[in-house]
Amino acid sequence: ETALQYSPDCPECCTRLEATRLMPSRLMRSFVDEIVVRCKFGCNWTGRYDVHEAHSQNCPLLLFVRRINEHDKTISALQSQLRLAQDEQDFLRRRHDRVQDERDTLRQRAAELENERDKTRSVLQTQLRLALDEQDFLRQHLDRVQ
């Protein structure tokens, strides 16, 4: 059938051939099956043509390559997860830095407010002492006048 794709004529008598009328030759199949072939994957296996397909399905080299491909897929997936985790870590690190900056700003503002409170307290205590002293003075003066 493969030969018919190249030429629809018989190579011996040049008559037109039809794929539906072709019959496999058991004798030729037997000769072809006895041909010694090598593994198409390169594992150094040699054997009869009729068993090469069974070998190809279980070729140690092919199975090894498939395992490598599976591992490559796993590695690729893990690398993607790692990149996502690193991106998230970078995001959280930047967020942490912003929060620390805000905390430092709030601490500085709190210190400024405490300083202002202490100054205000000191001024108010001074004013209170002065008012109490003035009150004492006025009482004493009032006591003398009466």
Side-chain angles (χ1 to χ4, degrees):
E1 291 181 27
T2 306
L4 290 178
Q5 294 174 354
Y6 298 105
S7 173
D9 299 330
C10 173
E12 296 257 340
C13 64
C14 297
T15 59
R16 179 74 85 203
L17 299 174
E18 295 176 24
T20 57
R21 297 184 61 190
L22 295 178
M23 299 292 287
S25 167
R26 289 190 178 128
L27 180 62
M28 288 305 291
R29 172 56 55 199
S30 174
F31 287 139
V32 169
D33 285 345
E34 290 179 12
I35 294 173
V36 176
V37 294
R38 291 177 177 231
C39 176
K40 62 184 174 183
F41 302 112
C43 77
N44 296 328
W45 174 88
T46 57
R48 290 174 39 121
Y49 180 79
D50 59 348
V51 294
H52 89 282
E53 195 58 41
H55 166 77
S56 293
Q57 293 176 0
N58 296 306
C59 172
L61 184 60
L62 177 63
L63 297 175
F64 181 71
V65 168
R66 285 180 181 161
R67 273 213 314 310
I68 287 174
N69 290 338
E70 289 173 14
H71 287 299
D72 286 346
K73 288 177 186 177
T74 301
I75 288 169
S76 180
L78 291 172
Q79 286 173 331
S80 293
Q81 290 176 358
L82 178 61
R83 279 192 297 278
L84 289 174
Q86 287 171 333
D87 290 346
E88 184 176 358
Q89 182 184 23
D90 291 342
F91 169 77
L92 292 173
R93 190 173 282 133
R94 287 191 303 273
R95 185 172 173 197
H96 176 263
D97 291 345
R98 281 194 311 269
V99 167
Q100 277 189 327
D101 289 346
E102 289 175 20
R103 182 200 66 199
D104 292 345
T105 301
L106 289 172
R107 283 183 176 168
Q108 183 179 358
R109 181 65 182 137
E112 290 170 359
L113 290 173
E114 286 176 11
N115 194 19
E116 285 181 37
R117 179 200 67 204
D118 292 344
K119 286 180 184 177
T120 303
R121 180 181 288 153
S122 177
V123 168
L124 289 174
Q125 285 174 343
T126 302
Q127 288 177 349
L128 178 60
R129 267 193 310 268
L130 288 173
L132 289 173
D133 289 346
E134 185 178 355
Q135 182 182 18
D136 284 345
F137 173 76
L138 289 174
R139 273 196 188 133
Q140 287 173 4
H141 184 67
L142 184 62
D143 284 343
R144 281 188 225 153
V145 173
Q146 287 178 348

